[in-house]
Amino acid sequence: MNNDLFGFEINIWLDAAARMGLITGVMTVVVMGLIYIERKIIARFQMRLGPTRTGPMGLMQSLADALKLVGKEDLRPAGADPWVFELAVYFVFVPVFMMFVAIPFALNWEVRVLELGLFYVVAVSSINIVGLVMAGWASDNRYAMIGGLRAAAQAISYEIPLVLALLAVAMVAGSLNLTEIVAGQGRVPLIVWQPLAFAIFYIAMLAEMGRTPFDIAVGESETAGGPHIEYSGIRWSMFFLAEYAALFLLCLIASAVFLGGWAWPLGEDLGRGWQFALTAIKTGLLIFSVFWVRVTMPRLRIDQLMSFSWKVLLPLSFVQILVNGLVLVYDWPDLLLLATGGAGVVLLFVVIDRGVRRPRPRPAPLAAAESEAVA
Amino acid sequence: MTTELAREHEYETQDIMLNMGPQHPSTHGVFRMVLTIDGEVVRDVVPYVGYLHRGAEKLCETMDYRQGIGFMDRTEYLAAFNAELSYVQAVEQVAGLEVPDRAQWIRMILCELNRLSSHFMFTGAFGTDVGVFGTAFTFSFRERENVQDLFEEVTGDRMMYAYFRPGGLAWEVTDNFEQRVHEVLASSRQGISDMDGLLSDNEIFLARTKNIGIISAEEAIEWGMSGPSLRASGVPMDIRKDEPYLKYGEVDFDVVTGETGDVFDRFRCRLDEMRQSVRIIEQCLQRLEPGPILPDRMPRMLRVPPGEAYVRTEAPRGEYGVYLVSEGGNRPYRLKIRSACLSNLQALRDMVIGNYIADAVIILGSIDIVLGEVDR
Amino acid sequence: MTNDGANGDGGDTEADEAAEREAALARTIWADVDRALSGINASPEPGALDLIVTIPKAEVVRGLRVLKDDEQLNFDYLRNLTAIDHQADGITVVYHLYSTAAKHNVTIKAVLPNGDLAVDTATTVWKAANWLERETAEMFGVRFNGHPDPRALLLPEDMTDTFPLRKDHPLAEIEALQGEGMAYAVEEE
């Protein structure tokens, strides 16, 4: 355990509290920044200006929004289940922040080095589904209920390829400790050896966050906000905070696990400033790509979304693990990983392309309901 | 969730009612449909309209002929020129007014431009229905705004133009009209290909829209659908071609038809129709010559002899008909507005049942309703 | 413009008028319609745009069915369905038909006397008549016998005693009901 965060030894509990406090405070600012940046970026994509009036270049917009949201009345529908309704927010909010414990921002700059860091992150990240289902169920609103159930179905389905993709990387990296995984990528980032795993992780990550094209739970044009529909003011903003924190966090994990985090390409020798900068750049690029996807992609339908996970991503991730196992056990050359992974990515795109262009008969109502049963 | 599964495991399942609208982001106004859903699958849908009923027909009976023009704008507010056109043509038909050539060409240009702006509204709103986060909307609205600016320059209003008059036009167009139309066409052409690039080839868009909400040609005719929604089913029915009004007989354009009649075809038809509109406007501009815009002797107060006419024109959403019955005097005895959207909307139930909730939204979007026209 | 003949103003003799009418009818598809409607008591009238055929209300749906099924006429498309309130002369139900294949139009009218404002539904011929009949029913108080879904379409469901598009339904009084001082001066017709 490294306790040199502040440059001197302090009580371990105080230290932990200080670290958590720091994370929570920083994250809130980061999320506000992210919302501002997203609005600006999306505005650029859409030939708009985005926020301009609040502060210089609209920089204070997020702060103003936050203040407004805090000031709004905290409504609860008369028919809602009060406890579940109010607790749901925390089930979404807390796990996301718990995930930050294991994330390495730079060498020796994490809340705690966990030997099973990757495992921990994956385990904690799936708790927030409970929160969404609670919110959907307790709101006494059918849109919320449909949204909550959709969120649950989607998250459970995409959790598996997500975990398997990370597992494949962990096999190659030979560790579940995030710090070690990052440190091991000093020369070559793992995306080179595991392009397919990265592709699967990226897609599953979008689904986990409920971002376009997988935003069926909250999609405005269908469920009009889904589980969030009845929330207002501070509770609603906490959902939002959790959503953006999850975005930041999953992109951080992707940059750490696949893109070499702070280690690649400059190695461990450079100062903390460079390491932070590297992490920030890689994470930033990923976040930007998520925004990019958001503004250009339509939304998938629930059956397409489910079958894509179960019929495409899941088999491919199993194949990836199998290949990794064979390569590792028989000590085949690493290039084979690159070749198979690359072939896998090509296959993935071919499947997507084929899948949508194949003429499909109109689903008979009953048959359609059958595939729904998986959900 | 299915009944079979339920029986097997002795679950008790229940269909639930989902009330969509009149306040819902994707009902395009104040439309309401009550969906009966089994899980995600729509078992039944009951549409409710009438939230925007303002009694335009009754009001027109109490106003003189010129005042009625304004009400037409307020029915079909996204393609007000086309609505006005049906009305003034009905009045001209019964009153026996001849419209000067220049007025006819300008009417054609404005109506086709209005078709462009209306279809841009459709592509934008439809993109949002399918789930593109506002990008299709802003891209469309950039183009729509250009057209709208031109309309504002000509008529002084952005939506409720009240510019056509029985017999011709209210006033001459602006001096730089032709140049401005050329500018708008150039940007619209770009906008159409932008929408093509953004949506038509997107894999998810294709997966969402292909083979969804199919309606066969026979069924579409049976339900009285018209416009692009009917042509998408492969029926080449276009009033501009079949019963040419204005100068449509003298210009060259194709009737765009689809093949399967699914949501994608309805989108595709509208997009291609916009290209045809551009073609028509270009030809109109070549033929536009100086001249009078009203008949020589127009009375101050228009009195129409007894008679009746059902005048239909091809509005962006289909057949916009005005059935005018005159018993003499300066106001209609009976004025019936045949709404394209109302008839198209009837077929919604057939298209939606058996599809998913998300499909119901895009099927409704693909019919492209304007509630002002449905409810009148 | 061929909106002459119908009103017959001026000093024409009756024989001239009749000849003119015949000539006008000859330019329309009346010959075909007459053949198809044999056995049904139909009277033609050349309209401004389309041929207008008046059929007694008892036979109108049969006539519509015949017009739809006739191979040559093939009126497969119901453009419009509405009614006109002729006050003392009853209410006329108007059907505008179109053939998508042959591309011709006809207007069918049926006069309903004030005592018996009912006619058979045309939904058995075209589904398109469904909402149009619902609207006509609520606006004019015409009953369409056998309509599959006789609910109000545009008006509130409980508004069953008022028929806004009838001529005896005053506009100004309704306006006056909406608030003090908002009343319009009743215009003299």
Side-chain angles (χ1 to χ4, degrees):
Chain A
M1 295 281 162
N2 59 319
N3 274 5
D4 62 343
L5 180 63
F6 304 101
F8 51 87
E9 290 283 328
I10 53 171
N11 178 294
I12 189 164
W13 290 104
L14 269 180
D15 179 72
R19 282 162 195 256
M20 283 313 290
L22 197 65
I23 286 287
T24 315
V26 167
M27 271 319 297
T28 313
V29 176
V30 165
V31 165
M32 276 158 64
L34 271 181
I35 292 173
Y36 170 77
I37 290 165
E38 169 164 36
R39 290 177 68 168
K40 273 292 188 190
I41 287 176
I42 288 183
R44 293 298 299 176
F45 272 111
Q46 299 179 346
M47 305 168 304
R48 297 184 284 119
L49 293 174
T52 54
R53 296 304 177 90
T54 331
M57 296 184 299
L59 274 167
M60 296 288 116
Q61 185 63 47
S62 294
L63 188 66
D65 285 345
L67 285 175
K68 178 206 73 171
L69 285 170
V70 170
K72 277 173 90 169
E73 188 185 355
D74 187 16
L75 292 170
R76 193 179 69 214
D81 184 329
W83 279 97
V84 182
F85 184 81
E86 308 225 329
L87 277 178
V89 182
Y90 300 100
F91 276 79
V92 175
F93 182 76
V94 173
V96 172
F97 278 77
M98 277 166 70
M99 284 161 82
F100 279 100
V101 169
I103 307 293
F105 294 91
L107 182 62
N108 293 336
W109 248 82
E110 56 276 294
V111 177
R112 282 287 180 267
V113 180
L114 299 182
E115 275 308 310
L116 292 176
L118 202 54
F119 180 73
Y120 168 80
V121 164
V122 165
V124 174
S125 77
S126 47
I127 297 177
N128 67 347
I129 308 314
V130 180
L132 286 175
V133 177
M134 282 166 71
W137 183 257
S139 292
D140 187 32
N141 181 314
R142 284 170 192 176
Y143 286 104
M145 195 177 79
I146 292 172
L149 295 178
R150 280 179 173 192
Q154 173 187 353
I156 291 168
S157 311
Y158 278 85
E159 191 88 349
I160 299 167
L162 184 93
V163 173
L164 290 178
L166 286 178
L167 185 63
V169 185
M171 285 169 81
V172 177
S175 170
L176 282 173
N177 183 330
L178 274 166
T179 309
E180 278 176 26
I181 292 177
V182 176
Q185 301 179 62
R187 282 191 308 121
V188 186
L190 279 168
I191 185 175
V192 174
W193 306 126
Q194 299 283 288
L196 179 60
F198 177 72
I200 293 171
F201 179 84
Y202 187 81
I203 293 170
M205 172 180 101
L206 290 175
E208 277 292 291
M209 293 184 295
R211 286 240 151 205
T212 321
F214 304 104
D215 57 341
I216 56 161
V218 295
E220 313 95 76
S221 66
E222 295 156 28
T223 54
H228 308 165
I229 195 167
E230 294 289 1
Y231 286 85
S232 66
I234 187 78
R235 277 177 214 284
W236 183 81
S237 69
M238 278 162 83
F239 274 120
F240 229 63
L241 191 61
E243 188 186 325
Y244 278 84
L247 164 72
F248 181 59
L249 195 111
L250 282 163
C251 288
L252 255 179
I253 294 174
S255 74
V257 173
F258 289 98
L259 302 181
W262 45 263
W264 184 80
L266 299 175
E268 292 185 21
D269 309 332
L270 287 151
R272 220 162 249 171
W274 278 108
Q275 293 177 354
F276 268 123
L278 275 177
T279 311
I281 288 167
K282 289 168 183 172
T283 312
L285 282 175
L286 282 171
I287 291 175
F288 177 74
S289 73
V290 172
F291 292 164
W292 193 350
V293 168
R294 181 176 183 198
V295 289
T296 44
M297 287 289 174
R299 187 182 303 124
L300 279 169
R301 205 174 53 213
I302 181 147
D303 62 317
Q304 295 165 339
L305 182 127
M306 301 301 266
S307 56
F308 183 59
S309 169
W310 293 102
K311 293 179 188 164
V312 180
L313 291 186
L314 194 63
L316 279 176
S317 46
F318 273 125
V319 169
Q320 175 75 69
I321 288 177
L322 192 68
V323 170
N324 283 359
L326 289 173
V327 170
L328 290 175
V329 169
Y330 294 105
D331 226 0
W332 289 339
D334 286 352
L335 273 178
L336 197 64
L337 283 179
L338 175 61
T340 50
V345 173
V346 172
L347 184 68
L348 182 62
F349 282 109
V350 169
V351 166
I352 294 174
D353 199 57
R354 289 274 106 185
V356 294
R357 283 177 208 284
R358 191 187 57 204
R360 221 167 323 181
R362 173 180 172 157
L366 221 58
E370 284 285 352
S371 72
E372 193 64 14
V374 179
Chain B
M1 282 197 196
T2 64
T3 39
E4 281 74 27
L5 202 73
R7 228 174 283 130
E8 208 172 293
H9 297 276
E10 295 178 350
Y11 299 145
E12 191 172 332
T13 65
Q14 201 182 347
D15 288 354
I16 59 173
M17 305 272 274
L18 185 70
N19 180 45
M20 212 177 238
Q23 289 156 346
H24 186 278
S26 52
T27 49
H28 296 263
V30 282
F31 176 67
R32 172 176 165 223
M33 51 184 177
V34 176
L35 304 172
T36 305
I37 51 174
D38 172 11
E40 286 269 348
V41 180
V42 178
R43 293 279 185 228
D44 195 9
V45 52
V46 185
Y48 290 88
V49 295
Y51 292 93
L52 210 57
H53 179 63
R54 294 148 295 178
E57 294 172 6
K58 182 77 176 178
L59 285 165
C60 282
E61 288 172 17
T62 63
M63 308 274 171
D64 76 28
Y65 283 105
R66 220 176 323 174
Q67 288 171 315
I69 300 167
F71 286 112
M72 298 304 123
D73 293 334
R74 282 151 184 81
T75 59
E76 167 65 303
Y77 44 76
L78 288 180
F81 276 131
N82 297 77
E84 283 175 29
L85 181 70
S86 284
Y87 176 77
V88 295
Q89 282 201 331
V91 178
E92 286 156 7
Q93 188 72 51
V94 180
L97 288 170
E98 286 292 345
V99 184
D101 277 0
R102 180 174 171 81
Q104 295 205 25
W105 287 114
I106 292 175
R107 279 183 183 181
M108 255 173 91
I109 294 173
L110 292 175
C111 284
E112 290 303 319
L113 280 173
N114 216 169
R115 192 184 310 277
L116 279 179
S117 85
S118 166
H119 281 355
F120 273 127
M121 178 78 208
F122 162 77
T123 52
F126 187 65
T128 311
D129 283 342
V130 182
V132 183
F133 181 76
T135 311
F137 204 74
T138 48
F139 272 63
S140 292
F141 260 57
R142 175 185 61 180
E143 307 309 332
R144 186 167 182 269
E145 208 60 16
N146 283 335
V147 183
Q148 224 72 326
D149 284 347
L150 174 63
F151 288 163
E152 193 180 358
E153 285 164 27
V154 172
T155 69
D157 205 309
R158 291 171 57 80
M159 272 176 103
M160 310 299 169
Y161 313 116
Y163 178 64
F164 294 169
R165 292 283 183 275
L169 306 170
W171 49 75
E172 185 54 79
V173 292
T174 46
D175 293 340
N176 61 349
F177 178 70
E178 288 176 50
Q179 180 215 337
R180 286 285 292 122
V181 176
H182 278 299
E183 283 170 23
V184 168
L185 286 188
S187 83
S188 295
R189 232 180 262 121
Q190 178 62 40
I192 297 166
S193 55
D194 280 353
M195 293 316 297
D196 228 356
L198 184 65
L199 294 176
S200 302
D201 284 336
N202 186 306
E203 275 80 4
I204 298 176
F205 184 79
L206 290 175
R208 281 299 304 279
T209 54
K210 283 242 176 197
N211 291 313
I212 298 297
I214 296 175
I215 188 152
S216 67
E218 295 76 34
E219 280 290 293
I221 291 173
E222 182 76 17
W223 278 116
M225 291 175 80
S226 55
S229 306
L230 173 64
R231 289 194 285 274
S233 298
V235 185
M237 176 179 156
D238 188 328
I239 301 167
R240 293 176 294 175
K241 265 278 196 262
D242 299 342
E243 304 171 302
Y245 52 97
L246 292 179
K247 301 280 187 185
Y248 280 106
E250 298 177 28
V251 294
D252 191 26
F253 67 100
D254 300 326
V255 176
V256 184
T257 53
E259 285 157 15
T260 50
D262 57 8
V263 171
F264 182 75
D265 274 356
R266 290 195 275 276
F267 171 79
R268 189 84 236 171
C269 271
R270 289 198 169 83
L271 215 54
D272 287 344
E273 218 177 274
M274 285 155 81
R275 297 203 170 90
Q276 297 299 329
S277 287
V278 172
R279 230 175 110 191
I280 294 172
I281 298 167
E282 278 169 346
Q283 296 174 50
C284 292
L285 284 172
Q286 284 170 5
R287 303 282 300 272
L288 190 62
E289 280 164 11
I293 52 159
L294 276 175
D296 289 339
R297 274 205 306 276
M298 276 293 287
R300 283 193 68 78
M301 176 65 86
L302 188 66
R303 289 187 183 277
V304 174
E308 65 167 72
Y310 174 69
V311 170
R312 52 270 168 179
T313 61
E314 186 73 23
R317 282 164 195 78
E319 175 179 333
Y320 191 95
V322 169
Y323 180 48
L324 179 71
V325 180
S326 166
E327 303 237 306
N330 63 351
R331 54 187 65 176
Y333 184 75
R334 165 88 174 105
L335 187 107
K336 156 80 184 172
I337 299 162
R338 190 269 192 205
S339 153
C341 298
L342 183 89
S343 298
N344 291 353
L345 202 54
Q346 288 193 64
L348 179 74
R349 193 166 176 275
D350 275 11
M351 290 190 258
V352 164
I353 289 179
N355 285 308
Y356 290 84
I357 300 172
D359 291 333
V361 168
I362 62 166
I363 291 168
L364 177 68
S366 76
I367 308 175
D368 190 21
I369 51 168
V370 165
L371 267 302
E373 195 198 345
V374 174
D375 298 343
R376 301 185 298 282
Chain C
M1 307 279 148
T2 53
N3 65 333
D4 45 3
N7 38 4
D9 50 348
D12 297 335
T13 60
E14 269 189 23
D16 277 355
E17 235 176 76
E20 204 177 301
R21 219 176 98 93
E22 284 301 315
L25 276 180
R27 287 193 294 272
T28 65
I29 52 166
W30 167 241
D32 287 329
V33 175
D34 196 23
R35 177 186 52 73
L37 288 179
S38 60
I40 294 169
N41 183 16
S43 55
E45 180 191 336
L49 283 169
D50 317 320
L51 172 72
I52 301 169
V53 180
T54 308
I55 302 179
K57 73 164 202 153
E59 292 175 313
V60 66
V61 173
R62 188 157 70 88
L64 294 172
R65 164 61 67 187
V66 167
L67 288 174
K68 187 189 180 188
D69 292 343
D70 187 83
E71 268 180 29
Q72 200 182 342
L73 291 168
N74 190 17
F75 285 108
D76 53 354
Y77 189 86
L78 177 68
R79 283 210 131 121
N80 188 19
L81 191 162
T82 187
I84 310 165
D85 181 12
H86 285 296
Q87 290 167 311
D89 298 336
I91 289 177
T92 309
V93 179
V94 188
Y95 305 82
H96 292 99
L97 317 186
Y98 179 65
S99 164
T100 54
K103 304 194 189 309
H104 48 219
N105 293 280
V106 72
T107 306
I108 305 291
K109 286 185 176 181
V111 181
L112 315 181
N114 275 332
D116 181 23
L117 291 175
V119 66
D120 287 342
T121 177
T123 49
T124 50
V125 189
W126 302 275
K127 290 180 186 170
N130 194 326
W131 285 19
L132 297 170
E133 282 187 354
R134 276 170 71 182
E135 190 192 340
T136 309
E138 68 186 344
M139 294 292 179
F140 288 93
V142 176
R143 203 170 69 249
F144 289 93
N145 295 326
H147 192 280
D149 183 18
R151 291 176 296 143
L153 182 71
L154 300 175
L155 299 180
E157 281 156 27
D158 51 358
M159 194 166 151
T160 49
D161 53 343
T162 331
F163 305 111
L165 281 182
R166 281 204 193 158
K167 285 286 168 186
D168 58 8
H169 182 78
L171 183 71
E173 274 180 31
I174 294 288
E175 298 278 2
L177 282 175
Q178 292 178 350
E180 289 276 317
M182 286 177 64
Y184 285 25
V186 179
E187 272 189 74
E188 295 297 322
E189 277 288 328

